[in-house]
Amino acid sequence: MRVLLGNILIVIALGFIVCGVYGLFRFRHFYPRVLIASKVDTVGFITLMTGIMVKSGFNFFTLKVLIIVGFFVLTNPLATHSIARSAYKSGYPLPEDDA
Amino acid sequence: MSFEEVVLWILAILGGASTLRAILGPTAWDRILGFNLLSSKMVMIIVIFALLLKKSYLLDIALIYALFGFVGTVMIARFVEKGDRL
């Protein structure tokens, strides 16, 4: 039962990540692309890791995965923010119409 | 092909797609974004690989990989913005 629930969560996470990669190619301008790719990728990562944690039960393996999730949730938005900030500060034009 | 292997194959293909974005990307920031997404997908691949082999020391590798991916992305973004007077 637990393994099945973990598998379902992993499949949902894969759906998120596929949407993220699709968004990566769909948008023409850089800013909507960086927004979509980073946000959806972080959510997909969290769902994937909860699926793995559910699947592996309650032991030190899950604790390590929890540490990785905690670290990633903190740093991935920061990294993507620094990319968008560097693009904005260097004068990359904002898109006027919708992406 | 167990369930995890299929997941690993899909993640590898998605990593290739984000690398394709890094290759095609017109601006330098698209390339950094592709690199950042590839490193996050690599972390997912390593963690699923650790789940597949039931080895917990692989998770330390995934954590270090995420750390380096983050530091690398931030430093490249700052270098592209400020040049070498970082």
Side-chain angles (χ1 to χ4, degrees), chain A:
Chain A
M1 176 53 192
R2 187 161 43 84
V3 174
L4 181 67
L5 187 63
N7 284 348
I8 291 171
L9 275 174
I10 288 177
V11 168
I12 293 171
L14 279 182
F16 283 146
I17 299 168
V18 165
C19 293
V21 170
Y22 171 67
L24 207 56
F25 287 98
R26 181 203 175 285
F27 291 106
R28 289 289 152 271
H29 296 286
F30 166 71
Y31 288 108
R33 186 182 299 158
V34 72
L35 166 70
I36 289 300
S38 69
K39 189 184 296 188
V40 174
D41 201 57
T42 311
V43 168
F45 187 90
I46 294 169
T47 323
L48 191 75
M49 292 311 155
T50 37
I52 288 173
M53 280 192 270
V54 162
K55 223 176 145 164
S56 73
F58 193 74
N59 45 29
F60 283 113
F61 187 91
T62 316
L63 183 64
K64 274 190 179 178
V65 174
L66 199 64
I67 290 172
I68 290 180
V69 166
F71 174 77
F72 192 81
V73 160
L74 285 177
T75 54
N76 198 27
L78 278 178
T80 322
H81 164 70
S82 77
I83 299 173
R85 181 182 174 279
S86 122
Y88 182 72
K89 282 275 192 261
S90 307
Y92 188 72
L94 289 165
E96 293 74 23
D97 54 352
D98 55 354

